[in-house]
Amino acid sequence: MSYEPSQTDLLDVLFSVLEDDILPKTQTGVAAGNKVFGAAILRKSDHSLVIAETNNEMENPLWHGEVHCLKRFYELPADQRPATSDLIFLSTHEPCSMCLSAITWAGFDNFYYFFSYEDSRDAFAIPHDLKIMQEVFTLKDGEYNKSNAFWQSHSMMAMVAELPDDQKTKYLARARAISDQYDQLSSQYQGTKSDNDIPLN
């Protein structure tokens, strides 16, 4: 019988990857002028980390956190690169339309995210995801099909909200701590973004 992780087992890993792997890279990335978005890829079998990355738009405006993570993933030697069907995709923020497409074209059947589009707009002053969804795809409020023939998306905070109260408390505390660190990074980015030439900053 194969091992089926519990909801809390998976949340523990996702939170730890955000805290220990993505955030340190994002701190370095923001110091270089990049946005606060990051991503990671994990194995489904044992939840071990394959790769974590952050936004690198100062090099190329297409290197969003998710796309840059996929770029680095495909730079791994073929014998060290698992099939995407065997992997979990984690994004710090709900992926934009470009990143949604990249995740789809790469063959992932899932992704998890911590911050929502509304968080990106309201807490991080980056409204482009929702605006592009509306202007290009006429999708009001970012209402893409979150469960479809290609993948299922999962909000980490929605997963936390579904937990019994006695299990929820520790994740809410971890979420607050993560959010506080991203608030600081966002302020740092907003204070310096006028110095860079990213088209949609």
Side-chain angles (χ1 to χ4, degrees):
M1 176 181 289
S2 62
Y3 169 65
E4 291 294 334
S6 71
Q7 189 94 319
T8 54
D9 286 342
L10 180 55
L11 278 169
D12 280 335
V13 172
L14 297 178
F15 271 91
S16 292
V17 170
L18 278 170
E19 294 160 341
D20 301 333
D21 300 293
I22 300 176
L23 253 170
K25 289 179 177 289
T26 301
Q27 290 164 346
T28 301
V30 170
N34 297 292
K35 289 191 182 74
V36 296
F37 306 115
I41 296 171
L42 301 83
R43 290 176 178 84
K44 290 179 181 177
S45 59
D46 60 5
H47 293 166
S48 60
L49 180 69
V50 177
I51 196 163
E53 262 303 339
T54 192
N55 183 287
N56 194 21
E57 288 180 298
M58 291 296 288
E59 178 181 317
N60 182 329
L62 300 183
W63 294 160
H64 289 197
E66 300 93 329
V67 173
H68 192 227
C69 187
L70 287 168
K71 172 186 179 288
R72 294 292 304 277
F73 174 71
Y74 280 102
E75 290 171 350
L76 293 173
D79 61 352
Q80 297 176 28
R81 196 172 62 235
T84 52
S85 58
D86 295 329
L87 299 172
I88 293 168
F89 196 96
L90 170 61
S91 180
T92 57
H93 296 68
E94 194 167 8
C96 73
S97 53
M98 177 179 74
C99 294
L100 286 175
S101 295
I103 291 166
T104 307
W105 280 105
F108 286 86
D109 61 14
N110 71 87
F111 65 86
Y112 294 77
Y113 61 91
F114 184 74
F115 295 108
S116 68
Y117 286 145
E118 291 75 19
D119 293 327
S120 295
R121 179 192 64 200
D122 301 337
F124 297 97
I126 300 175
H128 312 305
D129 300 340
L130 284 171
K131 187 172 182 181
I132 290 171
M133 288 279 196
Q134 173 70 46
E135 294 294 325
V136 179
F137 302 104
T138 63
L139 293 175
K140 188 176 180 182
D141 300 324
E143 288 300 322
Y144 62 93
N145 187 8
K146 298 188 180 188
S147 179
N148 55 65
F150 296 102
W151 39 254
Q152 290 189 5
S153 68
H154 309 272
S155 161
M156 288 174 60
M157 294 312 297
M159 292 167 67
V160 169
E162 293 171 357
L163 294 174
D165 288 343
D166 63 332
Q167 296 180 4
K168 193 181 300 184
T169 304
K170 73 171 183 177
Y171 294 108
L172 291 176
R174 291 176 80 177
R176 182 69 262 163
I178 290 169
S179 295
D180 287 346
Q181 291 184 75
Y182 273 97
D183 285 346
Q184 294 172 18
L185 289 170
S186 178
S187 295
Q188 183 180 345
Y189 170 75
Q190 293 295 331
T192 60
K193 70 179 184 180
S194 60
D195 299 332
N196 67 44
D197 62 355
I198 297 171
L200 296 179
N201 63 13

